[in-house]
Every structure is written in C-alpha cells, then in structure tokens.
Amino acid sequence: KHMAKLIKAYGDNVKDVDISTLKDMQNIVGGYIEIVHISAEEMLIVNEEGLLFGLPFNSEASELAGITILGDAILTTRKEMK
C-alpha cells in the first residue's frame, strides 16, 4: 500500500490515506487529479477542476504549494508514488 496525508480544505487532516491506485486518488480529491510539485521530494495531489467545481480554499495546502489550492489535497512523496 502507498500511504499519504490528506489535507482537508476544512481542517481535520487524515494522517494515512491509501493512494495505491489512480482511482483511490480520484476518490479522495473528488475528480481528475493534478500533481503540484512542492519540493524535489514532496508533492500535492489535487482536483484539477477545483475552480470549475467551486471547491473551497485550502489554506494549509496553498501555503505548502505557494499557489492557491482548492478542495482537499493529498500530501505525498516521490517514494510513495512509485
């Protein structure tokens, strides 16, 4: 299993979510995924249509990414994505 941290737009982060498959990641973010690289090792997986769907602002994920992130986001590493 590949595990990651879920950063929810409304707080209540979840430490270990299963991101073993594309479907797992899509279910968690609620649609098509987009990967936002935040460092050489870390990345966020977000809903690529967050603006279109009017998803809520995610302050913690936005701070990590240095850009506006809407909706729930998955924080993971390159190692977990292999």
Side-chain angles (χ1 to χ4, degrees):
K1 282 189 171 184
H2 299 280
M3 305 304 283
K5 176 182 177 184
L6 174 59
I7 302 172
K8 300 198 54 102
Y10 292 120
D12 295 335
N13 294 343
V14 180
K15 186 177 179 184
D16 290 315
V17 293
D18 185 359
I19 58 165
S20 297
T21 68
L22 174 61
K23 190 74 175 163
D24 290 334
M25 292 182 273
Q26 289 174 328
N27 286 338
I28 292 167
V29 301
Y32 294 116
I33 66 166
E34 178 178 353
I35 295 179
V36 178
H37 295 275
I38 57 175
S39 73
E41 289 300 315
E42 289 186 309
M43 64 192 75
L44 290 171
I45 301 165
V46 302
N47 185 317
E48 90 173 0
E49 299 176 308
L51 187 60
L52 180 68
F53 291 148
L55 297 181
F57 179 72
N58 187 323
S59 60
E60 183 177 345
S62 296
E63 187 174 325
L64 286 170
I67 60 170
T68 298
I69 301 294
L70 301 174
D72 294 344
I74 303 165
L75 176 63
T76 191
T77 63
R78 288 183 184 276
K79 181 180 175 184
E80 285 295 334
M81 291 294 289
K82 288 185 178 181

